[in-house]
Amino acid sequence: MIKSLLGAIGALLLGIAPVSASEPDAAIPPVEVLPLSFAQSGVSGPGGERIKADLVDAQFVALGEDHGFADSPMLAQALAADMQRLGMPVYHAAEIGPFSADWLHRHFSGNSALAGLKSVAAGLKGKGLAMPFTSNVEDATLAAGFFDADGTSRLWGIDQEFMGAPMILLEGLATRTHDKAARSKLMGISEADRIALSKLEFDNAWLAKAKAEDFAELSKTFANDPDARKLIESFAVSARIYQWNNSGSYAASNESRSALMQGYFLENYRKAGHAPKVLLKMGAYHLGRGTTPVGIYDLGSLLPGLAAANGKKSLHIVFIPIAGSVRSIAPSENRVTAVKPYEDEGIGALLTAAGLSVDALPPTGHVVIPMTAIRLRLSGKQKRDLPEMARFILNGFDYLVTTRDAKPATHFEDWRP
């Protein structure tokens, strides 16, 4: 009785209504599966309405994903439309390097969306691994929505430059020098990367082999060109991250990459002005709250406090399908990707632990499953027994969006406008 009385007093002091011992689940919301639809105009259906209610107070909307699907960038486009309707411009932070984002902007600038996509397709021809994700039509279309008619860009590239980025970015760098030998060297690196990556020989790519002195020597060529030196420095940082990973120094690689992403994000955040509203879409590891499956605090852990300081919140959504088809890197003589069947091994375990049957979900379409109710219902042991990625999704995200019929992304090599 004394413990119960003290507990009730403590709850009242904290502003929490005590729950009756006979009603232990009275304050726990039910586990829900809410149908979701989305289009360029926004999200809809019961799941869409639930998400839209949370958008009102959200400064950051972080959409984590498993890569290679058309669904997640299309969902991101819908979320952007709904965010935009709430007022204030919306920015988009993408999992590409800042110079790759500038490359995209140049291809869309002054063009219609379709003409921009055609320009990107031409620029990527034979160089399908030059960029991650925006080498897919759906992601490039998403990015295009953040290039304004007046020539400004609201797209933030906040990642390292991808292993294949020199194939497209060194061409532009070569035009910035009159030194024929330097120009020939840069174009040679670009061509060597094209050959190596067409065979998926990542270890032979320039960023996998170049040393600090190589970048220092290259910088001397552009001693009077600060913009060129910034690109070279970004390559040097990316090379260090890749080479740590290739040598087995995974913790150093992951920590360095996360620090780079957070630094780029905050740099863009400050430039945008007071409390900008941002849609982020990238791999789920980067956008969940808490310790990631690789043992670091990534960008997703920065967002809640940053939003709270502005009286707002961060909304964390993850798209992980249960089944369907996925676009995977699979180079052959004339291609770099292939569409393959997809079957997730972790989400099913999470749903089963929550008392949900995977087979009971609709065979097509999407659903939203709020994570809070599941977090409150599962015991510590049930959470520990989950696969690591499923546990991270449970603890790090507000909503899971899933489907049994995921659609593969459309790589530009398969695009027929």
Side-chain angles (χ1 to χ4, degrees):
M1 183 179 293
I2 292 175
K3 289 183 179 179
S4 298
L5 180 61
L6 290 175
I9 293 172
L12 290 172
L13 290 174
L14 292 172
I16 303 171
V19 178
S20 167
S22 62
E23 300 180 34
D25 294 334
I28 299 178
V31 175
E32 298 174 287
V33 178
L34 306 171
L36 170 70
S37 297
F38 47 87
Q40 289 185 355
S41 57
V43 296
S44 58
E49 294 305 316
R50 181 69 59 86
I51 289 173
K52 281 196 286 189
D54 280 338
L55 292 180
V56 174
D57 296 323
Q59 181 182 357
F60 306 119
V61 178
L63 177 59
E65 65 174 1
D66 198 356
H67 298 306
F69 299 99
D71 313 54
S72 45
M74 293 171 70
L75 172 58
Q77 196 172 10
L79 292 169
D82 285 321
M83 292 171 70
Q84 193 69 55
R85 272 193 285 272
L86 295 172
M88 294 179 58
V90 178
Y91 297 83
H92 175 39
E95 197 175 345
I96 57 175
F99 293 93
S100 293
D102 290 342
W103 184 90
L104 276 176
H105 186 206
R106 288 194 297 273
H107 280 267
F108 278 101
S109 185
N111 287 324
S112 66
L114 179 58
L117 289 172
K118 289 180 177 179
S119 179
V120 171
L124 293 177
K125 189 173 182 179
K127 303 171 184 178
L129 295 180
M131 292 190 297
F133 322 127
T134 41
S135 55
N136 293 325
V137 177
E138 294 84 5
D139 276 279
T141 301
L142 170 64
F146 295 89
F147 301 137
D148 296 329
D150 63 1
T152 59
S153 172
R154 289 175 288 117
L155 175 69
W156 301 352
I158 64 167
D159 200 359
Q160 68 196 62
E161 295 299 340
F162 189 53
M163 181 73 75
M167 289 190 290
I168 55 173
L169 298 182
L170 289 184
E171 293 177 356
L173 189 61
T175 66
R176 301 177 73 96
T177 178
H178 297 294
D179 185 328
K180 291 184 179 179
R183 189 182 304 143
S184 177
K185 181 179 180 180
L186 291 170
M187 296 307 294
I189 293 171
S190 176
E191 177 61 12
D193 271 8
R194 187 191 67 78
I195 295 171
L197 293 178
S198 69
K199 301 175 184 178
L200 209 63
E201 295 176 354
F202 288 102
D203 289 345
N204 287 326
W206 182 52
L207 293 184
K209 301 185 297 183
K211 306 301 180 185
E213 51 266 31
D214 297 322
F215 297 110
E217 183 65 28
L218 187 57
S219 291
K220 292 179 183 178
T221 303
F222 297 92
N224 298 316
D225 189 338
D227 289 334
R229 292 201 310 276
K230 286 180 182 178
L231 171 59
I232 295 165
E233 175 58 24
S234 76
F235 279 143
V237 171
S238 298
R240 188 160 60 245
I241 292 170
Y242 277 120
Q243 290 173 26
W244 271 331
N245 184 77
N246 293 346
S247 68
S249 298
Y250 305 122
S253 178
N254 291 326
E255 290 275 7
S256 180
R257 185 182 177 196
S258 177
L260 180 71
M261 293 176 79
Q262 293 184 53
Y264 277 144
F265 180 84
L266 290 172
E267 179 183 345
N268 283 282
Y269 180 87
R270 296 184 184 104
K271 286 180 180 178
H274 177 65
K277 190 174 290 189
V278 187
L279 169 70
L280 305 93
K281 188 193 76 69
M282 51 193 67
Y285 277 28
H286 302 299
L287 295 183
R289 298 176 295 254
T291 309
T292 74
V294 297
I296 65 171
Y297 290 104
D298 217 317
L299 179 60
S301 292
L302 173 70
L303 303 178
L306 196 59
N310 297 312
K312 298 291 185 179
K313 66 181 181 182
S314 59
L315 179 63
H316 300 252
I317 304 169
V318 64
F319 171 74
I320 304 285
I322 294 167
S325 299
V326 64
R327 173 79 59 175
S328 299
I329 294 176
S332 59
E333 185 175 350
N334 299 310
R335 304 176 54 78
V336 295
T337 69
V339 174
K340 300 180 179 180
Y342 177 89
E343 186 171 351
D344 174 74
E345 297 178 353
I347 297 303
L350 172 58
L351 299 185
T352 298
L356 299 174
S357 169
V358 170
D359 293 336
L361 298 182
T364 61
H366 299 80
V367 296
V368 173
I369 303 176
M371 291 290 99
T372 299
I374 300 177
R375 280 197 298 270
L376 294 176
R377 289 179 181 277
L378 295 190
S379 67
K381 182 180 185 306
Q382 286 176 305
K383 294 176 182 177
R384 289 191 298 271
D385 288 344
L386 288 172
E388 189 170 32
M389 184 61 182
R391 187 166 60 249
F392 176 61
I393 288 171
L394 174 66
N395 293 325
F397 290 90
D398 301 300
Y399 295 110
L400 165 66
V401 175
T402 191
T403 179
R404 295 170 60 189
D405 186 32
K407 298 297 188 287
T410 308
H411 196 277
F412 274 106
E413 68 183 2
D414 279 340
W415 186 54
R416 303 292 181 267

